[in-house]
Amino acid sequence: MFGALWSEHCGYKHSRPLLRFFPSSSPRVLSQSGAENAGAVDIGDGLAVVFKVESHNHPSAVEPLQGAATGVGGIVRDILAMGARPIALLNSLRFGPLDSPHNRHLFRRVVEGISWYGNCIGVPDVAGEIYFDESYSHNPLVNAMCVGLVATDKLASAAAGRVGSVLLLVGAETGRDGIHGASGLASRTFEEEQELRPTVQVGNPFLEKVLIESCLEALETGCVSGLQDLGAAGLTSAAIESAYRGGRGLILDISQVHRREPGMSGYEVMLSESQERMLLVTAPEHVERVQQVFRKWDVPCREIGQVIQEPRAHVLEGDRPVAQLPIKHLTEAPRYRLNGQQSLEQRDRQRLVLDEIPLPRSSVADTLLRMLAAPNVASRRSVYRRYDHQVQTNTVAGPGSDAAVLRIKGTGKAIALSIDGNGRFCYLDPYRGGQIVVAEVCRNLSSTGAEPLALTDCLNFGNPERPEIYYQLEWSIRGMARACRVLGVPVVSGNVSLYNESQGQAIYPTPVVGGLGLLEDVTRHAKSSFPEEGLDVYLVGQRNLRPRASDLAGSEFLQAIHGLVAGRPAINLALERRVQALCRKAIAQGIVASAHDCSDGGLAVALAECTFAEGIGFRGVGSLSRLMARWDCSLFGERQSRIVVSLCPESVSGIAANGNGTGRSFAGAWQDGRLPVPPGIIRGPGSLRNCRCLERCAGTGARGLRKQPGETNPTTLLEFRGDHVVAPLSFENAA
């Protein structure tokens, strides 16, 4: 029990001293950071949104289908433990290059596991991201996020506070699957070749569905005073944490635990991580009423113990004592505050001299086509089409958007949800990379018109005992915390996944951030794609066109075209805050018709993505002469704090006035920092909407652009006109 609860996965030994850097409160935050299973945020009208992101990296590396599936199931139960109904799923995935058969296997099976489990439980998967890099070849990242909705006066707690309360174990039978999943598999590196499959849990999504409904009905009776998920470390973690939060102790009789397999020892029962199980706390007089609810749903419900005054855990098997341990010591794992050091290799890779990076020999058009077909840029439609994102009928904007938008039934409001990360930026500069990941998540929310309210994070890093890895962990957290304070968003929940490395090679430092935003009026949200022809297109946030080395630092262009990961990314958080505020205000006033942030692939890719959904093209009008010296920076650089917006010509003065009111930088943005081909006019009908290299790469490794079935007479997607003629992009060019 000590080994499980003091493991890195459960005890947060290396990360807990650093997590205090995050701001965790605001007038809307209802939960105390770390005190419950997830964060809760007040959205008004007597409602709260509960959300959290968590990792299932190590199990997915060993058994990808069950590892990914049970990752979804586990995060759903964390939300359920707060008394909330799960209403949305998101995921952040990272794999090695798909030209490796092993990576293709992991990719296929992880996607299959997510779609299988999520579709069966009836929770829509509304947003996500997928990235590929060699650093993830033996350590895929599978981060799952769940969002729930609950009345603020019905938020549940995991605390077992009343002496004499009864502990009820409900859900699946306990088996031998998942033993040492937390203390062994998830708290170490993959250095030894041995069979690890038994440490991976096995999921049953159909049981999870009835478990959700039965637990919510039991809570409605008012007879349940505490609710806790059985996740990492199983019954040990659930029971001990519940007693600790209530300041009490407990007596457990594990002979009453319903089991899947005969002959299980007390050790196995206490540490099993069998899925679809919850621990309920109720008064003795309410036991029969609660059990009646679970009998209705045909869900096993067994009385296994009671809450006592003495803060100790007494574990019995019938009349035989198995363990007697102090609750306080079990829950207070050692904390290590190390001294991280920046490695010489990291300093060297921050060097990037623009003059030493040659322009591609290919044309701008060919380079754009190559970028659109790059695995980290191409459409994810072949993946998200396998997820049901319309179930529960709340999804207003789903996968493929900057952020998902879900209506809140019974109100005029909506919430926006996004999840993002960029390991390359943190690999080059952990502090600035941490700032950028927070800024981009909030920018995605703001691009829909939503005000960012709160964040959840999943910190994926290598072995923290290595000084260079601890340096990455600490300074990524410091950078994220700095951005949170500038942008005014607290971190209300999260997870840390360390020891993500194999054979001495760590993954990129990859903090993944999930964001929650609020739209007061669901009808006042912006899409990310151009909605109609004849609109003007502007770029918000870019003050000038002067190329900078930081534009290409860590960019997809630099890696895809030159095979380099180098440089030092940059961000101006004050500008970021003003850009987002302007975008939200313009959307709320109905000035902006669409908004899409510039990120992977830069401005040219962002413009192309704006054309895909509606099949509307884009034609830039103006001179390219200022760009051609370093068109790689201008068109494919990933300078931060930029959003492409479209609006009616008569609305330009309105948004300019709003921009002037937010600071001088915006006036400059409108005067000097329009699109490199100012102004852009949307024309159609466009094509090339199916830039889908992932459509078949899972099976064949094929890449490239493919024509949609039945499409004829291809038309221009993007056309840059001016002093330098650039070939129009069409399906003929794509071929």
Side-chain angles (χ1 to χ4, degrees):
M1 292 171 68
F2 271 108
L5 294 177
W6 282 21
S7 67
E8 188 67 51
H9 187 75
C10 294
Y12 288 69
K13 293 182 292 188
H14 289 89
S15 59
R16 194 176 297 276
L18 301 175
L19 299 180
R20 62 182 177 81
F21 289 124
F22 288 127
S24 59
S25 61
S26 79
R28 289 186 178 270
V29 175
L30 302 176
S31 56
Q32 182 180 348
S33 180
E36 294 291 350
N37 287 277
V41 178
D42 190 341
I43 61 168
D45 294 319
L47 297 172
V49 170
V50 175
F51 69 118
K52 183 183 179 182
V53 63
E54 197 162 68
S55 65
H56 235 223
N57 304 334
H58 292 75
S60 299
V62 175
E63 212 306 300
L65 187 146
Q66 290 294 344
T70 54
V72 173
I75 195 63
V76 166
R77 291 192 302 278
D78 278 337
I79 300 307
L80 177 62
M82 298 289 289
R85 174 174 291 279
I87 62 170
L89 293 167
L90 300 86
N91 49 76
S92 172
L93 310 176
R94 280 164 175 76
F95 305 92
L98 291 180
D99 52 9
S100 160
H102 178 65
N103 290 334
R104 288 202 300 274
H105 165 71
L106 292 175
F107 172 65
R108 286 198 206 101
R109 297 290 279 176
V110 164
V111 171
E112 184 180 350
I114 292 171
S115 63
W116 169 60
Y117 206 100
N119 292 350
C120 287
I121 63 175
V123 180
D125 199 314
V126 297
E129 58 160 8
I130 306 175
Y131 280 89
F132 302 93
D133 187 87
E134 184 61 42
S135 72
Y136 306 109
S137 279
H138 298 285
N139 287 272
L141 299 188
V142 179
N143 292 181
M145 175 175 164
C146 186
V147 181
L149 189 66
V150 62
T152 53
D153 60 351
K154 293 186 177 180
L155 275 167
S157 171
R162 178 181 171 185
V163 175
S165 294
V166 174
L167 303 177
L168 300 174
L169 181 62
V170 304
E173 295 88 355
T174 297
R176 288 190 170 95
D177 55 313
I179 295 174
H180 291 307
S183 60
L185 181 60
S187 299
R188 70 174 195 184
T189 61
F190 291 118
E191 297 297 341
E192 300 176 4
E193 292 294 333
Q194 57 178 293
E195 180 55 57
L196 296 172
R197 205 171 299 268
T199 64
V200 178
Q201 308 90 341
V202 177
N204 179 349
F206 299 103
L207 178 55
E208 178 100 344
K209 174 59 178 174
V210 293
L211 183 64
I212 293 170
E213 300 302 331
S214 57
C215 285
L216 290 175
E217 184 171 330
L219 287 167
E220 282 293 326
T221 66
C223 297
V224 176
S225 59
L227 186 62
Q228 174 67 41
D229 163 45
L230 272 73
L235 183 56
T236 293
S237 178
I240 299 303
E241 288 182 4
S242 184
Y244 175 74
R245 287 167 177 164
R248 306 299 183 191
L250 54 82
I251 298 174
L252 289 180
D253 182 1
I254 59 175
S255 67
Q256 299 301 310
V257 173
H258 44 296
R259 308 181 189 188
R260 186 183 307 147
E261 303 174 46
M264 292 182 66
S265 66
Y267 175 92
E268 292 172 322
V269 172
M270 289 300 293
L271 294 180
S272 169
E273 295 181 14
S274 294
Q275 298 293 286
E276 292 86 39
R277 299 183 299 164
M278 300 290 289
L279 185 68
L280 276 68
V281 183
T282 185
E285 62 269 22
H286 296 321
V287 170
E288 175 57 31
R289 176 71 182 93
V290 173
Q291 289 181 330
Q292 184 180 6
V293 171
F294 287 97
R295 282 196 296 269
K296 168 190 170 182
W297 288 96
D298 198 23
V299 173
C301 175
R302 300 289 294 271
E303 183 176 336
I304 64 167
Q306 67 180 44
V307 179
I308 61 174
Q309 180 71 39
E310 180 191 17
R312 294 181 67 85
H314 299 267
V315 182
L316 312 173
E317 187 157 18
D319 296 329
R320 182 174 65 89
V322 176
Q324 294 186 27
L325 299 167
I327 297 288
K328 180 179 179 181
H329 292 159
L330 282 168
T331 55
E332 293 184 355
R335 301 181 184 183
Y336 305 130
R337 186 67 168 89
L338 307 182
N339 293 318
Q341 296 178 1
Q342 185 181 30
S343 66
L344 294 176
E345 292 82 358
Q346 183 170 28
R347 293 188 187 125
D348 290 342
R349 58 180 173 256
Q350 288 182 344
R351 181 183 179 275
L352 181 66
V353 179
L354 204 53
D355 292 341
E356 296 177 2
I357 304 298
L359 286 172
R361 295 183 179 180
S362 57
S363 67
V364 175
D366 289 340
T367 302
L368 177 56
L369 289 175
R370 184 174 172 184
M371 288 294 296
L372 291 173
N376 288 334
V377 174
S379 170
R380 271 55 176 147
R381 183 176 179 273
S382 63
V383 174
Y384 66 68
R385 68 191 295 270
R386 303 182 62 177
Y387 305 151
D388 188 340
H389 56 270
Q390 292 292 348
V391 66
Q392 298 189 19
T393 66
N394 294 319
T395 307
V396 177
S401 305
D402 281 21
V405 177
L406 277 71
R407 65 169 177 159
I408 303 300
K409 290 178 181 175
T411 75
K413 298 179 178 179
I415 58 172
L417 305 169
S418 181
I419 190 167
D420 218 324
N422 195 312
R424 282 202 301 263
F425 286 163
C426 291
Y427 177 68
L428 295 173
D429 189 313
Y431 184 71
R432 295 182 182 181
Q435 292 179 343
I436 289 171
V437 66
V438 169
E440 182 162 356
V441 168
C442 293
R443 196 185 314 137
N444 286 334
L445 298 174
S446 294
S447 294
T448 69
E451 178 187 1
L453 298 184
L455 304 176
T456 180
D457 61 20
C458 190
L459 306 176
N460 305 276
F461 290 81
N463 182 351
E465 299 166 45
R466 295 166 54 188
E468 67 274 20
I469 301 299
Y470 193 86
Y471 173 86
Q472 293 172 347
L473 175 64
E474 177 177 351
W475 285 96
S476 291
I477 290 174
R478 286 180 180 272
M480 294 167 67
R482 169 65 178 160
C484 287
R485 295 185 190 282
V486 173
L487 299 178
V489 284
V491 175
V492 297
S493 61
N495 172 244
V496 181
S497 175
L498 303 179
Y499 297 98
N500 290 286
E501 58 182 69
S502 177
Q503 300 172 356
Q505 180 62 47
I507 62 165
Y508 280 164
T510 312
V512 169
V513 176
L516 166 70
L518 179 65
L519 283 153
E520 292 291 344
D521 183 352
V522 65
T523 65
R524 291 281 187 172
H525 76 276
K527 295 182 177 180
S528 58
S529 59
F530 296 145
E532 60 183 280
E533 299 180 36
L535 301 179
D536 283 354
V537 178
Y538 290 87
L539 181 64
V540 181
Q542 185 167 336
R543 188 173 181 84
N544 59 65
L545 300 174
R546 185 176 65 254
R548 300 182 303 197
S550 60
D551 293 346
L552 293 184
S555 66
E556 182 62 29
F557 171 86
L558 196 62
Q559 184 177 54
I561 304 301
H562 296 285
L564 293 176
V565 178
R568 196 176 185 194
I571 184 170
N572 180 336
L573 289 174
L575 173 62
E576 180 74 43
R577 184 180 64 245
R578 295 196 297 271
V579 167
Q580 293 188 28
L582 171 60
C583 187
R584 293 194 301 268
K585 187 174 182 180
I587 293 171
Q589 294 178 358
I591 296 172
V592 166
S594 71
H596 179 41
D597 83 309
C598 287
S599 55
D600 300 310
L603 177 59
V605 167
L607 287 169
E609 290 172 342
C610 289
T611 70
F612 291 161
E614 304 296 334
I616 294 175
F618 169 87
R619 178 174 293 117
V621 180
S623 172
L624 286 172
S625 58
R626 290 184 296 169
L627 293 181
M628 298 313 290
R630 293 303 315 205
W631 54 262
D632 53 351
C633 290
S634 301
L635 296 179
F636 301 106
E638 296 178 15
R639 187 177 299 188
Q640 298 300 306
S641 311
R642 301 184 300 168
I643 301 175
V644 173
V645 299
S646 67
L647 57 155
C648 295
E650 57 269 21
S651 298
V652 172
S653 59
I655 195 168
N658 281 316
N660 288 333
T662 62
R664 182 179 176 186
S665 59
F666 281 101
W670 294 111
Q671 294 166 7
D672 306 318
R674 299 176 182 177
L675 292 175
V677 282
I681 303 298
I682 304 173
R683 302 191 187 279
S687 58
L688 202 67
R689 72 177 69 178
N690 65 326
C691 203
R692 303 183 300 187
C693 82
L694 288 181
E695 192 70 28
R696 294 177 54 199
C697 68
T700 66
R703 292 177 172 80
L705 304 169
R706 296 179 178 83
K707 183 177 179 179
Q708 293 276 30
E711 285 190 331
T712 58
N713 301 323
T715 55
T716 298
L717 166 74
L718 289 172
E719 184 177 285
F720 296 102
R721 298 168 58 185
D723 296 345
H724 293 75
V725 177
V726 180
L729 308 182
S730 66
F731 277 114
E732 289 93 345
N733 299 112

